[in-house]
Amino acid sequence: MNFSKLFRKKTVQDILNQVAKNEADGHQALGKHLTARDLTAFGIAAIIGAGIFSTIGKASADGGPAVIFLFIFTAVACSFAAFAYAEFASMVPVSGSAYTYSYVAFGEIIAWIIGWALIMEYAIGNITVAISWSDYFTGLLDGIVTTLNSKYNWHLSYLADWVQMDYLTASNGFKEATALMQGGKTFGNLSESLQAAYTAYTTSPTLGSLHIIADLPALLIIVLITWLVYRGMKESRNASNMMVVVKLCIILLVIAVGIFYVDTANWHPFAPNGVSGILKGVSAVFFAYIGFDAISTTAEECKDPQRDLPRGMMWAIIICTVLYVIIALVLTGMVNYSDLNVGDPLAFVFDKLNLKWMSGIIAVSAVIAMASVLLVFQMGQPRIWMSMSRDGLLPKRFSKVHPKYQTPSYATIVTGFVVAIPALFLNLTMVTDLCSIGTLFAFVLVCAGVLVLQNKPNIPRGKFKTPYVNSKFVFPVLILIGLVFGFTKFKSDSIHFITNEKQIKNPTELITSIGEDGTKKVFSFLLESNKSKERPTDLEQLLSKYYENEAQYKTVVDSLPVDNSLKYESGFSLFKHKIPMWIFLISLVGFVVWSWKQNLSLIPLLGLISCLYMMAQLSIWNWIYFTCWLLIGLVIYFGFSHKNSKLNRIVE
């Protein structure tokens, strides 16, 4: 094989000519219906969803009121990436997003890798949102049924737990609940989520040893959204605009009502867990922003993509960031930050303040918000496949455009199946992180693409260009400041990171690692040594009491009659979790050299660094799963795409 062919590139002019000849090749044109206002609405629809209705709670519990800085940092990082997206979208105003841009900047093999990563981003993102929508919908339905039964003495039945939960959540929840109950915790003292998972697993029908558990509401919403996307861009645009108006009104209502219940005492301390606590929620907060790049997949359906795409992206990020910051301040002002570690923080705070009517309104708006996010994600996936099919990297059928609805019909239907089936069974946490790493990888390559093309002549430039600031001297200085800050303000943490100092396990990790016999032995030992009058009823409660004081917790754990390997994480089992961060740190050295030699533009370079840093914050398992996904993609590329590429035919 001629490896030079792997990096064969498409020119911007070739791409534009190809779009013009699509009808001659049997590909009908997509309808042009979108303006800057529509694109901004799509961006808001994609961004304001799980973040503001769900993940903001966990992030606030970790970082306190200072979580607003994490939202701002993430927004700035996304804005850097948005500049790069906007420049490419202005340069190459066609469907395909980062895939098409990488074809121009890096060549075919990298374009395939990013296209394959985008398939995961949108498919996994859709699955994530569908599962979240199911959680809110079933919670809303549960509230309605409970209220009706209580008010009118009715006996309405409700969906069984095993048809409203995925298999992995039920299975993992059953194992964790069993371990905690073996440690003395009663079923009633388990969290509601663990109770539901345990019940779903134990009451589900079985086929041999296999428990039949599936999230049917997630399947329902995917079918409905896929049908809407299939019908046309006008219908999707109108539905999205309507849902955006509804949820913006609800969010403004939450702010207007909540601001009167803010107690500024709840803002002290502002950053209770320091910088590490703020950054702990980086994955959850970043997930709140993904989706703005889906705007770029609609380039061919814009009336003036070179002008409107950059505006739509930027306005969407600005508006959503302002709303996120205000909501975070209101929530942490209404209740103590430590109370916000719940799945529905907005409804929770109003329910706690006995404003039941607001909780009901928020529950309904959350269902609408999730549906609008799913709509935008479900539009992006088929258009990526369509672009890859046009280039011959996927079968020709994927680029088929419906003659009446002017949508990529076949790709839309396949997307529905690809999203619907896994949504029945996959775990929310797993798919959230997988979606984040795929998206961040795309952002990294798009920013790198702008840097690669910045000094190349004969590249047609669009109306929008990222403002140029030479990073040659600025970037090394920023790295130096970061090193000084890390080894002064966080000297202990930095040294422990480098020396791979062993790390003590938290109570839940400890209980699940020592097994049933170890749990009984440890519980008895602690009860005998506990001289206080208070007698905890289970091991987790007892260990959590000590966990509040780091030094005391370490002393207690060291005294436990179990092997040290079960108490601490050390050696390679600890180091492997640091591999992503080491990749990031080593990459920084390369970027310093690159910026010095090539006078790189600062904004896309900062976008690249910011997104790579957030990738490094994800677990090693997400990197492993993502690598496996890319390897599967390479098998398909060398088995089908390489020989069927239209560029391959031109060469031959």
Side-chain angles (χ1 to χ4, degrees):
M1 177 185 292
N2 185 354
F3 285 96
S4 64
K5 289 184 179 181
L6 297 178
F7 296 94
R8 53 200 175 195
K9 300 177 182 178
K10 297 179 70 174
T11 66
V12 175
Q13 195 57 49
D14 286 341
I15 294 174
L16 298 177
N17 290 340
Q18 180 183 322
V19 173
K21 294 177 181 178
N22 275 337
E23 288 193 38
D25 291 336
H27 306 306
Q28 293 85 3
L30 299 174
K32 293 184 179 295
H33 305 292
L34 303 179
T35 63
R37 184 182 63 182
D38 297 322
L39 293 169
T40 303
F42 275 138
I44 296 172
I47 296 172
I48 295 183
I52 209 162
F53 288 100
S54 179
T55 57
I56 193 174
K58 177 67 167 63
S60 298
D62 290 331
V67 74
I68 63 170
F69 296 120
L70 181 55
F71 279 110
I72 294 171
F73 166 73
T74 307
V76 170
C78 288
S79 296
F80 290 150
F83 271 108
Y85 266 95
E87 182 166 340
F88 263 126
S90 180
M91 188 189 308
V92 193
V94 298
S95 294
S97 185
Y99 158 75
T100 302
Y101 309 154
S102 297
Y103 221 143
V104 173
F106 302 110
E108 185 172 280
I109 184 66
I110 304 299
W112 167 265
I113 289 174
I114 194 61
W116 189 247
L118 285 171
I119 289 174
M120 187 181 78
E121 173 196 342
Y122 288 111
I124 297 295
N126 290 346
I127 293 168
T128 304
V129 177
I131 295 172
S132 297
W133 183 91
S134 174
D135 291 343
Y136 275 101
F137 177 73
T138 52
L140 176 62
L141 193 60
D142 183 34
I144 293 173
V145 170
T146 301
T147 301
L148 291 175
N149 287 342
S150 174
K151 188 172 184 178
Y152 299 104
N153 198 26
W154 290 354
H155 300 283
L156 298 175
S157 59
Y158 182 59
L159 291 173
D161 286 328
W162 58 272
V163 298
Q164 54 175 303
M165 184 178 297
D166 63 274
Y167 179 85
L168 286 177
T169 295
S171 176
N172 294 339
F174 171 78
K175 293 175 183 176
E176 185 177 344
T178 301
L180 292 175
M181 286 191 289
Q182 288 171 348
K185 188 180 284 291
T186 63
F187 180 79
N189 285 330
L190 295 173
S191 65
E192 289 185 12
S193 60
L194 281 182
Q195 289 184 31
Y198 185 90
T199 303
Y201 194 83
T202 54
T203 60
S204 63
T206 57
L207 186 61
S209 59
L210 178 65
H211 289 253
I212 309 299
I213 304 171
D215 195 342
L216 295 184
L219 175 66
L220 170 66
I221 189 61
I222 291 169
V223 171
L224 290 175
I225 293 295
T226 301
W227 171 80
L228 181 61
V229 172
Y230 181 88
R231 286 297 303 270
M233 180 56 75
K234 276 187 178 180
E235 290 77 6
S236 300
R237 177 197 64 188
N238 294 339
S240 174
N241 289 346
M242 179 188 69
M243 288 187 281
V244 166
V245 169
V246 170
K247 65 183 177 182
L248 284 181
C249 289
I250 297 300
I251 289 169
L252 293 175
L253 177 63
V254 168
I255 294 171
V257 174
I259 200 170
F260 291 102
Y261 294 87
V262 168
D263 181 358
T264 55
N266 288 324
W267 289 339
H268 303 284
F270 199 70
N273 299 314
V275 175
S276 60
I278 297 172
L279 293 176
K280 191 175 180 181
V282 68
S283 176
V285 169
F286 174 74
F287 184 75
Y289 280 95
I290 69 172
F292 81 84
D293 62 318
I295 300 173
S296 65
T297 67
T298 65
E300 283 184 50
E301 291 147 292
C302 299
K303 294 180 178 179
D304 188 351
Q306 293 184 319
R307 182 196 67 183
D308 294 341
L309 275 169
R311 292 182 180 181
M313 287 182 183
M314 295 303 175
W315 275 116
I317 291 176
I318 292 170
I319 292 171
C320 293
T321 301
V322 171
L323 291 176
Y324 274 133
V325 168
I326 295 175
I327 284 289
L329 287 174
V330 170
L331 287 181
T332 54
M334 292 175 70
V335 300
N336 187 274
Y337 71 93
S338 60
D339 295 333
L340 290 171
N341 190 11
V342 294
D344 53 348
L346 267 67
F348 168 79
V349 294
F350 285 102
D351 188 58
K352 189 171 183 178
L353 295 171
N354 293 318
L355 297 174
K356 305 289 185 183
W357 62 276
M358 278 295 294
S359 297
I361 292 174
I362 291 168
V364 173
S365 65
V367 171
I368 295 173
M370 293 295 158
S372 68
V373 176
L374 185 60
L375 173 65
V376 178
F377 274 50
Q378 203 75 346
M379 284 193 310
Q381 175 73 89
R383 285 154 179 80
I384 298 293
W385 278 345
M386 180 185 71
S387 297
M388 298 175 76
S389 175
R390 285 174 172 176
D391 296 328
L393 303 186
L394 287 178
K396 187 175 180 180
R397 185 176 295 183
F398 281 89
S399 58
K400 180 182 178 182
V401 176
H402 196 284
K404 178 180 178 181
Y405 301 132
Q406 295 181 311
T407 58
S409 52
Y410 180 80
T412 300
I413 293 173
V414 173
T415 297
F417 279 102
V418 168
V419 175
I421 303 304
L424 292 170
F425 310 108
L426 288 184
N427 177 273
L428 181 61
T429 302
M430 176 187 292
V431 294
T432 300
D433 288 345
L434 278 174
C435 180
S436 294
I437 196 169
T439 307
L440 286 166
F441 183 67
F443 287 5
V444 165
L445 283 188
V446 170
C447 292
V450 170
L451 295 173
V452 167
L453 294 180
Q454 71 171 31
N455 295 322
K456 289 192 175 181
N458 304 321
I459 297 291
R461 305 292 176 179
K463 298 178 182 178
F464 179 87
K465 195 172 188 306
T466 305
Y468 177 79
V469 177
N470 193 335
S471 65
K472 182 174 183 176
F473 298 104
V474 177
F475 186 62
V477 170
L478 291 177
I479 298 299
L480 185 61
I481 292 173
L483 288 173
V484 172
F485 189 71
F487 282 96
T488 53
K489 185 71 174 178
F490 303 101
K491 181 179 180 180
S492 177
D493 292 339
S494 299
I495 293 175
H496 286 170
F497 176 85
I498 295 172
T499 59
N500 202 40
E501 183 75 20
K502 65 181 182 180
Q503 186 172 306
I504 197 167
K505 294 182 178 180
N506 65 41
T508 303
E509 292 172 341
L510 182 59
I511 292 170
T512 53
S513 67
I514 61 180
E516 182 178 358
D517 292 337
T519 297
K520 292 178 180 178
K521 186 191 300 185
V522 168
F523 192 32
S524 299
F525 173 81
L526 288 177
L527 285 179
E528 290 175 6
S529 60
N530 183 17
K531 298 179 181 180
S532 65
K533 296 181 180 179
E534 184 182 350
R535 305 289 287 181
T537 58
D538 65 81
L539 181 56
E540 186 191 35
Q541 182 185 5
L542 184 53
L543 285 173
S544 297
K545 172 188 171 186
Y546 295 118
Y547 191 64
E548 295 173 0
N549 185 307
E550 184 178 346
Q552 184 184 30
Y553 179 71
K554 184 179 184 304
T555 301
V556 170
V557 171
D558 284 339
S559 68
L560 297 181
V562 292
D563 192 87
N564 273 343
S565 63
L566 301 175
K567 306 174 188 177
Y568 288 89
E569 196 169 17
S570 60
F572 183 74
S573 64
L574 176 62
F575 176 77
K576 66 185 180 185
H577 298 297
K578 300 177 180 180
I579 292 175
M581 183 54 68
W582 276 113
I583 292 174
F584 169 75
L585 294 175
I586 293 170
S587 298
L588 283 181
V589 178
F591 294 141
V592 168
V593 175
W594 190 23
S595 65
W596 184 268
K597 288 185 175 181
Q598 299 295 325
N599 296 317
L600 298 179
S601 177
L602 183 63
I603 290 178
L605 181 60
L606 291 177
L608 190 160
I609 296 300
S610 301
C611 294
L612 189 59
Y613 172 76
M614 287 189 282
M615 283 183 70
Q617 294 298 311
L618 299 175
S619 75
I620 184 62
W621 297 113
N622 290 298
W623 283 67
I624 292 172
Y625 297 146
F626 182 60
T627 301
C628 291
W629 175 260
L630 294 183
L631 291 175
I632 293 171
L634 289 175
V635 170
I636 297 174
Y637 174 77
F638 288 110
F640 173 86
S641 306
H642 180 71
K643 61 184 178 182
N644 288 283
S645 168
K646 289 187 176 180
L647 288 187
N648 193 47
R649 298 173 199 170
I650 292 172
V651 171
E652 295 174 352

